[in-house]
Amino acid sequence: MNGIHVGGVLPVVAEPDEFVGLFGVAEMAGVSRTAVANWRNRDRRFPAPIADPRSSPVFQAARIRRYLKQRKKHMVHVISTINLKGGVGKTTTTVALAEFLSAEFSKRVLVIDLDPQTNLTTVLIGEERWKSLNDEGQTLATLFKDALRPEDEAAHFDLRKTLQRRVSPVSEVWQVDLLPSSLDLIDVQDRLASMPSGRFFSNNPTDLLRKAVKSILDDYDYVLVDCPPNLGIVTLNGLRISDGYIIPTIPDVLSTYGIPQIQQRVKAFAHSLGEEIAEVGIVVTKYRKAPTVHMNTIRRLENDPELPAVLSSYIPEANQIAASAEFVGTGTLRQKYGYQGQYDTFRSMTKEFIELVEEIA
Ligand SMILES: Nc1ncnc2c1ncn2[C@@H]1O[C@H](COP(=O)(O)OP(=O)(O)OP(=O)(O)O)[C@@H](O)[C@H]1O
Ligand SMILES: [Mg+2]
């Protein structure tokens, strides 16, 4: 039994710290026991237990230490923001997550704007800079247009020129890069959808983004993909590179109605790829205390075991959050989002997001 006593008491031959149980691993890693259980289930590198007395596995501490070091080294997390309902705060949530991940948690972030409305792009770089990029064809629309050209024509998409570095008008946010969107994506989306399937025999239409960005993903800790309110081919390109997704929603009946449908469709797509795209959680947006419908909806979401977890920081409806969509320079995130608790809510939402995402890795 290698020095392990089944009853859990270590005999004198073993140093007290040589073996650890799940609780010990969680303590060493500074995460919850659920997170450790998830790593065990999903990460093939997780060390095998040296003993498994009545489902309380025991591990060699040295191997766990090595594993944690390896985990820490680097891992990019790609997360999409999805809801089939428009105007529920998808873009606002994506921007805030990117900015807080960078400024408050020192993460390197890439945001990918897949929505033809280009809201995320203009929030982060302003209308003028977007227009000149669009005129030069330096947006993601060019990537998709390339796929619609005859195969012997040269590709026009230039990743280096399209990637906008150090975006965001907030000066303390300095590690957010952007792949901008274009209104032309609407047209591209329609044409991709109506292409005869044989045309893409060697060029899978849901795999275009992955092929284009795979060389840079590892430069980041987090990649956030803002999706349009549909599950068309462009959105599937975002899901194709995603480890998981979040669903921002206003906590009312109509906004939350489509959540099971999103879960089902994403699951089916992931299944078709033979991969898993994890349900990271639901983010409550535009929350108002007064109407009971908001609290009732949140309770319903939280108590439904079929739905993803609801993040416990609800983003309040606030004028300053609406105003944050304007491209105006500020020094800090407190100034941008306001001093009435919004800053703290976004910060704690981001912290919770990181914990949930690291659990699925
Ligand atoms: N917490 C909030 N308080 C007040 N206004 C908000 C809040 N969140 C978002 N808004 C505003 O609501 C509108 C819709 O938000 P946003 O663009 O983030 O939603 P979306 O889900 O990305 O929309 P679309 O489906 O059009 O992409 C915007 O004008 C935004 O500024
Ligand atoms: Mg949006």
Side-chain angles (χ1 to χ4, degrees), residues 30 63 65 85 108 183 198-199 221 262 269 286 310 313 346 357:
R63 290 188 60 199
R65 236 173 259 126
K85 185 113 172 70
R108 295 161 303 164
L183 298 168
R199 166 70 175 74
D221 301 307
I262 301 170
F269 180 63
K286 299 191 185 180
V310 180
S313 314
F346 276 126
V357 169

Side-chain angles (χ1 to χ4, degrees), residues 47-62:
I50 51 166
D52 208 344
R54 287 194 212 108
S55 81
S56 317
V58 182
F59 305 88
Q60 225 173 359

Side-chain angles (χ1 to χ4, degrees), residues 335-351:
Q335 287 164 348
K336 174 169 178 174
Y337 290 105
Y339 292 90
Q340 285 85 42
Q342 295 96 284
Y343 165 86
D344 299 297
T345 308
F346 276 126
R347 193 182 191 287
S348 54
M349 189 261 289
T350 309
K351 188 161 181 283

Side-chain angles (χ1 to χ4, degrees), residues 17-272:
D17 80 333
E18 260 190 79
F19 305 103
V20 282
L22 282 179
F23 191 72
V25 177
E27 263 189 341
M28 283 166 81
V31 300
S32 66
R33 265 206 298 188
T34 323
V36 176
N38 283 336
W39 293 348
R40 271 195 87 198
N41 287 336
R42 297 187 181 132
D43 192 341
R44 269 175 293 141
R45 298 168 307 174
F46 198 94
I50 51 166
D52 208 344
R54 287 194 212 108
S55 81
S56 317
V58 182
F59 305 88
Q60 225 173 359
R63 290 188 60 199
I64 293 291
R65 236 173 259 126
R66 242 190 338 266
Y67 167 77
L68 293 176
K69 223 167 151 186
Q70 204 184 9
R71 261 192 82 81
K72 253 193 167 160
K73 253 193 211 153
H74 187 245
M75 187 174 254
V76 55
H77 305 288
V78 185
I79 307 295
S80 280
T81 308
I82 299 187
N83 195 327
L84 303 181
K85 185 113 172 70
V88 293
K90 292 182 290 297
T91 300
T92 306
T93 305
T94 312
V95 171
L97 277 174
E99 293 181 330
F100 279 77
L101 281 167
S102 167
E104 299 288 330
F105 299 93
S106 306
K107 304 291 185 191
R108 295 161 303 164
V109 185
L110 169 66
V111 276
I112 301 181
D113 188 1
L114 289 184
D115 191 344
Q117 297 174 94
T118 70
N119 295 343
L120 178 98
T121 300
T122 50
V123 170
L124 288 174
I125 62 174
E127 192 97 15
E128 245 170 72
R129 183 163 153 199
W130 168 74
K131 274 194 186 128
S132 66
L133 289 171
N134 198 46
D135 289 345
E136 298 294 320
Q138 288 160 6
T139 73
L140 287 171
T142 306
L143 167 71
F144 293 100
K145 280 182 194 167
D146 278 350
L148 292 160
R149 278 181 226 286
E151 262 157 50
D152 49 2
E153 270 191 27
H156 294 198
F157 181 69
D158 184 331
L159 180 64
R160 203 176 46 84
K161 286 190 181 152
T162 306
L163 182 66
Q164 303 302 300
R165 294 184 191 274
R166 309 212 164 168
V167 297
S168 166
V170 184
S171 41
E172 67 175 0
V173 175
W174 55 276
Q175 294 201 100
V176 177
D177 293 352
L178 166 75
L179 282 170
S181 174
S182 165
L183 298 168
D184 296 350
L185 272 179
I186 301 178
D187 179 45
V188 168
Q189 162 102 8
D190 292 347
R191 283 164 62 205
L192 283 171
S194 60
M195 287 301 282
S197 55
R199 166 70 175 74
F200 287 108
F201 187 70
S202 60
N203 207 0
N204 181 343
T206 63
D207 205 23
L208 302 167
L209 180 67
R210 189 188 67 81
K211 284 184 186 148
V213 301
K214 66 179 181 202
S215 62
I216 58 165
L217 291 186
D218 274 340
D219 297 343
Y220 301 94
D221 301 307
Y222 280 84
V223 177
L224 306 177
V225 187
D226 192 26
C227 296
N230 62 56
L231 283 171
I233 287 183
V234 171
T235 301
L236 294 182
N237 268 271
L239 281 173
R240 179 72 185 80
I241 60 169
S242 297
D243 304 304
Y245 66 99
I246 53 167
I247 307 176
T249 185
I250 301 170
D252 62 29
V253 180
L254 291 180
S255 306
T256 54
Y257 183 69
I259 295 178
Q261 196 195 355
I262 301 170
Q263 290 176 283
Q264 203 186 344
R265 302 265 303 266
V266 174
K267 202 173 270 173
F269 180 63
H271 184 74
S272 74

